[in-house]
Amino acid sequence: MQSVLAKCLRGVQSQLRQGQCTNTLRCQRYTNDSASAVPIIGAVIKELIEDSDPSSTARKLGRRRRCRLGSSCESSEDTAKWRTQKRHTLATWFEPKYREAAHKHILIREFMDVMRRFGSLDRTADPDAVLIPADDEPGRANSLVDTAWTHYAKIRSHEDASSLLSQIPLVAIRILVYELTFLRGSAEYRRRFERVVQIFDDCASVDRPITSPLLFGMYLRALNKLGRYQQAISEAVAYGSSVGSESESVLSVNIIRQIIEAYFGGGRPDKALEVFYRVRDSPEYRDSITPHVYVSAISGAMRAKHLANAELYAIVEDLLSLLEKPSYPDASRTGLLNELMNVANKTGNHAFLFHVFERAVDRGFSINHATFGVLLHCSCAEETDARVVYRVYRSIITHPSTYANMTHHIFAIFINCFVRRHRIDHALSVLHDLRLHPTACLTVQHLSLVFRYYAESGMAAQALELLHTTVDTDKLALPWTMCVDIVKAVGRGGDLTWALETVADAAEFSSDESSRVRYDALLTALVKFGLAGDTARMLETFFTLHESYPKDILPFVAVLMQSHHIAKLHSQDLARGPTTHIETPAARTSEAQHSDFVDQLNVVADLLLAASATMSIPQNMYNMAISVFAILRDHTSTQRVYDHMTQTEAMEPTARTFNVLLQSFVRGLDLAAATDVLKDIRARGIPLNRVAANALIHGYLGANQPQNAIEVYAHLVDRPIPLLAAATFQDFVVSAPIDTYTFAMLVSGLVDAGLLKEAVIVFEDAFTILPFVPRQLLETLVGKLEERSLFDFAQLCIKRYTKRVEDSQPAHLRIEEGLDVALPEAAPARLPLSYFGYLLDRKAKDD
């Protein structure tokens, strides 16, 4: 063993001969009669250190006791039992030393009293019960450790500290180091390692070096955690040179592991791997090397990017073969697997992560939800190939131990992952496995992205097939959004010819098949007729479909969506005027046909309100009906649906309801009704959304009502009106997102209306509200002024605002220095609006 250490550390020893050690005292302390220190350890060390036994619990030391994603924490029950047993063992050996301290200094006695309490920290009434109360123990242990350190700090700060420190029994020191190292749930994670290092420094200063391999491994771990890698290597060299021949267990595997960690941390991955390979191939360590050494080598090599994946795979195979031994519990295997996967995920080595997972699952290793957390985090990365993710998924499904840990949340993540990568076949395979799982339940959330994918791709047949499976087999009620996606999928991919032929030939099928096929055909015909603007056949198809399936909500969704489309086309046709030559379905609809359409649509509304007594109607459907009637300027029906929603169904109108009303009235050119809705919104304190506000401003400006447009803008930014009364107002409280389009539309409309002062004030507000003022907004203002032949005003705006607009640009949009760009000379400071007086005041200009 001594020869192995010499080979591993020969390079460091030569470096130390040439340079200066960071701590000469500690490097020399093992040569001051270290042999006499070995007997002091006695039977306690023999009890605690069993490095030659691979099943010993001593090798579990040196591991962080905080469970995190990908951590190597074992089960809480095994950990609690092991910690309790070790505390009782130390307490047994502590009692004789405690009685000897009865006549020592008062500070020593107080310190010993506190240390004695660790032995009874987790005792219960049953002497055979050694489990720690999970909720109470961590807090009590942390408090007791803090108390012990406080008493120890009093000793080391005493004027006779050297004498007092030499009187502290080494067993008490061991207990304190042990508790500091494994202090669970500590908010001062770094400080506890600093205290461990301080204890070793104190022992060295009084010529009592701690030579226990177990405690020395803890000391090296503390140095590594503090980032003192060179010092850890120096300490290991000094320790191995001085005491290497005194005890066979000095060079424990835990010490070797910390040496590897120190080399990796110090930027010498070549030396770390040299130590690892020599230890792995050494006959002396063949039976004592632990999986943690392998994990340290693999993790360090991945972080340093020193080995290719092929070399890492070879080490992983050795590690998995070692973990297959029955001496390692399932919790240890899972913890080490999670640790490797977490490091691979952080370093971006997804190929290694999937390989390790698949190899571990193939060997029958168990996994937990932390394993799934790391795996799914990596699977959702955009750069991960869908084929690799699916192969890993199949590995999970085909092994009983991993399949049992699947939950509906994990299934949902896999489904969404495959849909986003356009592998709908893999997503459907996951859905099939989810339906067969004994505990995980299928919900509508699992289907949302699938239906959305069908809608975007126009896959009508697949959407309808999944609809029937969900409703008939899974017994799930589809929400509003999925119904909308189904209608969109049918509209983009449905075949009207097939639908009409199928409706005529439906009697040839069996009853169940005929029902489904006829339903699909009628729904497809309804949607296609609506897109073609054939209102009569659309409504006729709806009534037929509703008569056959009176408790189905999807026909209502389809007819309302298509009616909304037809109403918008009709309002656009009215806005164009009688001279339009654009061929649209609405343009080909006569006034009589439109009136009949509105009447039939009221019948649909009656059926919808009547159906609400037997089935749940979502509020979005009421909002859609309100929007349709508002666009058609049918105020009676709009009010009727609104009253039913708020009074009969007791649904509170939301911001979406009012925003739908506003947009619909503006599209229907009914600005008087839109103004009434705006008053209700302001009275209720409901915020406007950006789309509704822009639509309202655009409608007012188009109807030559600029003052109403200004009122909407003032409501959005909580600005006093009239604008000229507070031209420099800056305390904006924006109640809705204001974008550049809002300012461009308002500035342009105000200039067209001749309200130049108000236009300039709104443009000034953009510097306060927007994150930066785009150059295009200034171009809009200047261009509109020039269209009205206000060239002097336009030039003055260029001089005043060009420099401010450039200064407001983010760094990546600014003009690079050194480019020859002619910028107009900026006016001094920020000119007040009175500077524009002779331009804004037409009488003064005429004089």
Side-chain angles (χ1 to χ4, degrees):
M1 185 173 297
Q2 189 174 5
S3 61
V4 173
L5 178 68
K7 293 178 182 179
C8 294
L9 304 179
R10 186 181 298 116
V12 180
Q13 289 173 330
S14 61
Q15 294 174 10
L16 293 176
R17 296 191 192 100
Q18 299 173 3
Q20 182 69 27
C21 181
T22 56
N23 194 326
T24 307
L25 177 61
R26 280 198 297 271
C27 286
Q28 295 178 350
R29 67 184 179 210
Y30 301 109
T31 61
N32 297 331
D33 193 16
S34 58
S36 62
V38 175
I40 300 178
I41 301 175
V44 178
I45 294 301
K46 183 179 180 180
E47 173 71 21
L48 292 178
I49 303 175
E50 300 290 342
D51 284 315
S52 59
D53 181 8
S55 64
S56 171
T57 56
R59 67 185 66 262
K60 301 177 184 177
L61 298 176
R63 194 183 308 163
R64 185 180 299 184
R65 289 296 168 194
R66 296 187 298 177
C67 288
R68 303 181 304 170
L69 181 64
S71 66
S72 58
C73 293
E74 300 180 21
S75 64
S76 59
E77 182 177 351
D78 293 341
T79 303
K81 183 179 296 186
W82 171 68
R83 287 169 59 87
T84 303
Q85 289 173 346
K86 289 306 175 184
R87 279 177 178 162
H88 291 175
T89 301
L90 283 172
T92 302
W93 294 99
F94 180 78
E95 283 301 318
K97 299 296 181 181
Y98 175 76
R99 289 191 292 269
E100 294 176 4
H103 304 290
K104 294 184 179 180
H105 195 277
I106 181 61
L107 294 179
I108 302 295
R109 295 201 303 271
E110 292 177 350
F111 175 70
M112 296 291 285
D113 286 337
V114 175
M115 301 309 298
R116 188 187 188 191
R117 290 163 56 189
F118 281 106
S120 58
L121 181 64
D122 30 47
R123 291 187 186 275
T124 61
D126 183 4
D128 297 330
V130 292
L131 294 180
I132 302 175
D135 297 333
D136 188 41
E137 191 276 340
R140 293 170 55 201
N142 292 359
S143 176
L144 194 56
V145 171
D146 290 339
T147 304
W149 178 259
T150 301
H151 286 281
Y152 180 81
K154 292 179 179 179
I155 295 175
R156 64 186 307 273
S157 61
H158 192 269
E159 58 183 7
D160 194 15
S162 299
S163 175
L164 294 180
L165 288 172
S166 61
Q167 299 178 35
I168 300 178
L170 288 179
V171 176
I173 296 295
R174 293 189 195 99
I175 295 176
L176 183 56
V177 172
Y178 169 81
E179 295 293 341
L180 283 171
T181 302
F182 302 111
L183 189 62
R184 297 194 299 170
S186 174
E188 300 175 342
Y189 184 69
R190 179 182 175 86
R191 181 174 296 181
R192 58 177 179 172
F193 295 117
E194 294 175 347
R195 291 175 176 176
V196 170
V197 173
Q198 187 61 60
I199 291 173
F200 271 75
D201 290 344
D202 294 339
C203 292
S205 65
V206 296
D207 199 18
R208 297 179 65 195
I210 301 177
T211 57
S212 161
L214 175 65
L215 297 183
F216 185 76
M218 296 180 183
Y219 170 59
L220 293 182
R221 177 174 181 261
L223 291 176
N224 287 331
K225 293 295 183 181
L226 296 174
R228 303 179 187 178
Y229 305 113
Q230 184 59 43
Q231 183 179 347
I233 296 173
S234 303
E235 293 284 356
V237 171
Y239 182 82
S241 324
S242 59
V243 229
S245 60
E246 297 296 337
S247 174
E248 186 178 356
S249 61
V250 168
L251 297 180
S252 66
V253 175
N254 190 35
I255 294 178
I256 297 296
R257 178 190 175 192
Q258 298 305 324
I259 292 173
I260 294 174
E261 295 277 4
Y263 272 128
F264 277 122
R268 293 300 306 273
D270 54 334
K271 298 294 295 183
L273 292 173
E274 179 184 352
V275 173
F276 168 72
Y277 288 134
R278 288 184 180 275
V279 171
R280 184 193 65 177
D281 301 334
S282 172
E284 300 169 343
Y285 287 95
R286 183 171 301 165
D287 296 330
S288 60
I289 190 169
T290 65
H292 299 89
V293 179
Y294 283 90
V295 172
S296 297
I298 296 172
S299 302
M302 270 196 296
R303 293 190 183 98
K305 302 185 184 302
H306 191 71
L307 293 179
N309 278 352
E311 298 173 283
L312 293 175
Y313 294 161
I315 303 176
V316 167
E317 290 301 321
D318 294 340
L319 169 62
L320 297 178
S321 300
L322 181 61
L323 285 174
E324 282 185 324
K325 294 181 178 180
S327 57
Y328 294 102
D330 288 340
S332 297
R333 298 190 184 103
T334 306
L336 292 173
L337 173 63
N338 292 350
E339 186 174 348
L340 277 181
M341 292 177 59
N342 192 37
V343 173
N345 187 38
K346 289 182 178 179
T347 56
N349 195 346
H350 296 167
F352 177 85
L353 186 150
F354 290 128
H355 175 83
V356 171
F357 178 80
E358 290 179 284
R359 295 299 300 144
V361 171
D362 290 341
R363 291 174 180 261
F365 290 2
S366 62
I367 61 175
N368 55 22
H369 291 96
T371 317
F372 277 118
V374 182
L375 180 67
L376 296 177
H377 184 275
C378 177
S379 300
C380 293
E382 293 296 332
E383 62 272 13
T384 306
D385 191 352
R387 292 173 296 181
V388 177
V389 178
Y390 186 70
R391 189 179 70 241
V392 173
Y393 169 76
R394 296 312 308 174
S395 299
I396 297 173
I397 294 299
T398 53
H399 288 81
S401 61
T402 56
Y403 180 69
N405 286 326
M406 291 287 285
T407 65
H408 70 279
H409 298 290
I410 299 174
F411 278 110
I413 294 175
F414 275 115
I415 293 172
N416 297 342
C417 173
F418 292 131
V419 172
R420 291 191 178 99
R421 288 167 172 77
H422 306 286
R423 293 306 304 264
I424 195 67
D425 53 336
H426 294 342
L428 294 178
S429 175
V430 178
L431 275 175
H432 175 73
D433 295 333
L434 174 58
R435 290 187 175 97
L436 300 177
H437 197 273
T439 57
C441 298
L442 176 68
T443 64
V444 291
Q445 283 75 19
H446 295 97
L447 306 171
S448 58
L449 279 187
V450 179
F451 277 115
R452 188 179 306 171
Y453 179 84
Y454 286 152
E456 294 173 353
S457 305
M459 303 172 69
Q462 292 82 350
L464 292 172
E465 180 182 359
L466 183 59
L467 164 68
H468 293 303
T469 304
T470 304
V471 175
D472 299 338
T473 305
D474 301 326
K475 306 299 181 183
L476 296 177
L478 296 183
W480 164 263
T481 55
M482 295 185 190
C483 293
V484 171
D485 288 334
I486 294 173
V487 174
K488 289 181 179 178
V490 172
R492 292 170 180 169
D495 187 354
L496 180 59
T497 304
W498 167 85
L500 296 178
E501 294 176 353
T502 304
V503 172
D505 301 338
E508 300 178 3
F509 300 98
S510 61
S511 58
D512 294 339
E513 185 179 3
S514 175
S515 177
R516 286 192 178 186
V517 174
R518 185 170 182 270
Y519 179 90
D520 296 346
L522 287 174
L523 183 64
T524 302
L526 187 157
V527 175
K528 289 297 183 179
F529 286 145
L531 293 175
D534 193 343
T535 57
R537 300 181 71 182
M538 178 192 75
L539 291 171
E540 180 184 355
T541 307
F542 166 76
F543 292 132
T544 303
L545 190 59
H546 178 68
E547 183 180 359
S548 302
Y549 308 93
K551 295 185 178 181
D552 194 349
I553 195 176
L554 190 56
F556 286 104
V557 178
V559 73
L560 287 177
M561 288 181 62
Q562 303 313 311
S563 300
H564 190 268
H565 170 71
I566 294 172
K568 286 196 299 182
L569 291 178
H570 180 75
S571 65
Q572 292 172 6
D573 180 58
L574 294 178
R576 294 189 187 99
T579 59
T580 180
H581 298 286
I582 301 177
E583 288 294 329
T584 62
R588 296 191 296 269
T589 303
S590 65
E591 202 58 42
Q593 290 174 331
H594 180 72
S595 177
D596 184 63
F597 166 65
V598 175
D599 293 340
Q600 293 294 318
L601 200 58
N602 275 279
V603 178
V604 174
D606 294 337
L607 293 175
L608 176 65
L609 301 184
S612 64
T614 58
M615 60 183 181
S616 177
I617 305 297
Q619 188 170 7
N620 285 328
M621 186 172 292
Y622 289 116
N623 290 340
M624 178 68 77
I626 290 171
S627 176
V628 171
F629 286 116
I631 295 176
L632 296 175
R633 306 183 73 168
D634 187 349
H635 299 294
T636 303
S637 299
T638 302
Q639 189 66 43
R640 181 162 61 95
V641 176
Y642 179 82
D643 291 342
H644 180 86
M645 182 188 73
T646 56
Q647 298 175 11
T648 306
E649 298 295 325
M651 294 181 180
E652 186 68 23
T654 62
R656 179 178 177 82
T657 305
F658 288 107
N659 287 318
V660 165
L661 276 173
L662 276 180
Q663 296 177 55
S664 303
F665 282 133
V666 171
R667 287 173 180 150
L669 304 179
D670 194 351
L671 295 179
T675 303
D676 293 337
V677 175
L678 180 61
K679 291 179 181 178
D680 291 341
I681 288 177
R682 299 181 67 175
R684 292 172 177 262
I686 297 176
L688 281 172
N689 66 18
R690 179 171 53 194
V691 177
N694 289 345
L696 197 55
I697 292 173
H698 182 269
Y700 281 134
L701 292 175
N704 198 21
Q705 300 178 21
Q707 292 299 334
N708 288 338
I710 291 175
E711 289 185 8
V712 176
Y713 167 74
H715 173 71
L716 290 175
V717 300
D718 197 18
R719 202 189 205 289
I721 51 176
L723 298 181
L724 297 179
T728 59
F729 183 74
Q730 303 241 346
D731 295 330
F732 296 102
V733 181
V734 181
S735 61
I738 306 297
D739 57 4
T740 306
Y741 177 74
T742 308
F743 283 100
M745 178 175 54
L746 193 55
V747 167
S748 178
L750 292 178
V751 172
D752 286 337
L755 301 177
L756 303 183
K757 293 181 181 179
E758 287 80 354
V760 172
I761 291 173
V762 171
F763 185 82
E764 286 272 359
D765 292 347
F767 289 98
T768 304
I769 297 176
L770 296 178
F772 70 95
V773 178
R775 301 182 183 93
Q776 292 82 356
L777 187 58
L778 177 58
E779 293 173 3
T780 300
L781 174 61
V782 173
K784 277 296 178 181
L785 291 173
E786 291 178 347
E787 287 179 8
R788 294 179 58 83
S789 301
L790 299 173
F791 300 106
D792 291 342
F793 200 169
Q795 289 300 316
L796 191 57
C797 287
I798 291 175
K799 286 188 176 182
R800 180 178 184 185
Y801 294 121
T802 300
K803 183 64 166 59
R804 290 183 62 193
V805 169
E806 291 298 329
D807 292 341
S808 71
Q809 302 299 309
H812 66 283
L813 294 179
R814 291 183 181 177
I815 298 176
E816 297 181 6
E817 296 183 2
L819 294 180
D820 188 11
V821 179
L823 295 177
E825 181 181 357
R830 293 181 59 180
L831 297 178
L833 290 176
S834 59
Y835 189 78
F836 294 84
Y838 77 100
L839 292 174
L840 297 176
D841 191 343
R842 296 187 178 183
K843 293 183 179 180
K845 181 178 180 181
D846 294 339
D847 294 339

